[in-house]
Amino acid sequence: MSNYLLVSKHESYLRDLLRDYCTVYLSIAEQVRRYRRDGTVSFTVLRSLVGEPLSKGVFWRLKDISHFLFMGEGHGDCQCYAPVGQLVDWCIGYAFHECCKLREDAFQAQHYAMRLVQYTRMEDVAGTLSLPLKHLADETAESSQRELNRIVRVLREGMHLLVRIMPAASDNCTLARWILTEKENVQQAFHALYPGLIRALYGPSPQRMYTLAAADFMDCGRKDEALYWLKEARDAGSLDEDGERMLRALESVDDGVSACVH
């Protein structure tokens, strides 16, 4: 990847990092709930999450983006996040490889462990000979639980670290737009850390998120959506001065267009 491309897309890469991090965390959290419910994890979900070299899943793409942003792979701007960004990258990489192990354990449990259960229920010699192997299936289940716990723990620690680097993204319009439009998922993933995430990004002026998001909508030529969110912010008392000016300008344009039509 060229330096120019990476620098020009830096803001969108950071947005993608946060977006994919939330997607991965929520997916793993669902597997934790499933394991607590019935003692299994889904091989299909984990296979999709990780993917393959020629068809990477969201977790693999997250790892790649993290390397680009925080480890200087292809550019020299990673120092603005050092050393915390390098620790975020470590957390993502560690969790990814734990997820690869969990995927293999899920495959073993779904296929080989079930076959072994069938063998042990046989009343012939196969049932007798398979009994000493039964503890291996139990060990696979225990391994899955340990891997799940490690993945959740390291991703949660990674969230604390992500919050620490967010001040460097305080003017990132595309990130503001994503947080605004996907607020429910961000809150669900970051949970108690969500207020700290917003403070890290916008300091004592969380209203800036609306203004930045509206600016990004405008850059994409999506004026109606910019107008919608600015009005939402105004009605909620969450619009700063820049947002007020932007809203007035957009409304005056709308009024002018309406006058011409009539």
Side-chain angles (χ1 to χ4, degrees):
M1 182 176 296
S2 71
N3 289 347
Y4 172 78
L5 182 61
L6 191 63
V7 171
S8 65
K9 291 184 172 293
H10 182 91
E11 289 193 351
S12 60
Y13 279 130
L14 192 60
R15 174 207 60 200
D16 292 351
L17 178 92
L18 208 62
R19 179 198 64 199
D20 292 351
Y21 202 105
C22 289
T23 299
V24 167
Y25 182 82
L26 292 175
S27 181
I28 292 295
E30 176 58 33
Q31 292 307 302
V32 171
R33 289 190 290 271
R34 171 176 171 153
Y35 188 87
R36 290 172 178 169
R37 185 173 61 247
D38 58 26
T40 67
V41 292
S42 170
F43 169 70
T44 301
V45 169
L46 294 171
R47 179 179 59 185
S48 176
L49 201 60
V50 173
E52 303 294 339
L54 296 180
S55 181
K56 296 179 179 180
V58 63
F59 210 158
W60 201 321
R61 296 195 301 272
L62 172 64
K63 180 175 68 72
D64 287 348
I65 292 171
S66 177
H67 285 343
F68 280 124
L69 285 174
F70 303 135
M71 300 304 291
E73 292 192 0
H75 71 108
D77 292 339
C78 65
Q79 290 305 310
C80 66
Y81 301 115
V84 181
Q86 294 168 355
L87 291 174
V88 172
D89 181 75
W90 184 92
C91 289
I92 292 171
Y94 184 94
F96 171 79
H97 289 288
E98 284 293 317
C99 193
C100 290
K101 291 192 289 185
L102 180 62
R103 176 188 59 178
E104 293 307 309
D105 282 346
F107 181 84
Q108 295 271 44
Q110 184 172 315
H111 296 280
Y112 287 92
M114 292 304 299
R115 284 172 56 189
L116 189 61
V117 168
Q118 294 170 359
Y119 294 154
T120 58
R121 290 174 179 171
M122 294 178 178
E123 296 180 357
D124 57 13
V125 66
T128 302
L129 294 176
S130 64
L131 286 175
L133 300 174
K134 186 176 181 300
H135 74 280
L136 294 175
D138 297 333
E139 288 178 5
T140 299
E142 293 170 2
S143 176
S144 295
Q145 183 177 22
R146 288 194 299 270
E147 286 151 6
L148 270 174
N149 290 339
R150 284 195 293 265
I151 293 169
V152 170
R153 179 181 176 184
V154 75
L155 288 179
R156 201 65 192 166
E157 290 298 324
M159 285 184 180
H160 285 276
L161 296 169
L162 277 171
V163 169
R164 292 176 66 93
I165 67 172
M166 282 301 111
S170 60
D171 295 320
N172 189 325
C173 294
T174 188
L175 177 61
R177 186 183 109 188
W178 175 77
I179 294 176
L180 181 62
T181 55
E182 297 293 330
K183 183 177 180 180
E184 185 176 341
N185 284 337
V186 183
Q187 286 179 320
Q188 188 178 356
F190 276 82
H191 197 51
L193 295 177
Y194 179 78
L197 173 70
I198 299 303
R199 282 195 302 272
L201 281 165
Y202 310 116
S205 305
Q207 304 90 340
R208 288 188 65 240
M209 178 171 64
Y210 290 92
T211 304
L212 292 171
D216 196 65
F217 276 123
M218 291 296 293
D219 285 344
C220 297
R222 296 161 67 175
K223 187 192 72 173
D224 290 343
E225 288 167 277
L227 192 59
Y228 169 81
W229 284 108
L230 288 171
K231 288 180 177 179
E232 285 283 306
R234 180 187 61 189
D235 294 344
S238 299
L239 198 58
D240 62 11
E241 292 183 4
D242 290 336
E244 289 281 4
R245 285 193 291 270
M246 188 182 299
L247 179 57
R248 286 195 298 269
L250 288 172
E251 288 179 329
S252 66
V253 170
D254 272 2
D255 291 341
V257 171
S258 297
C260 291
V261 171
H262 295 294

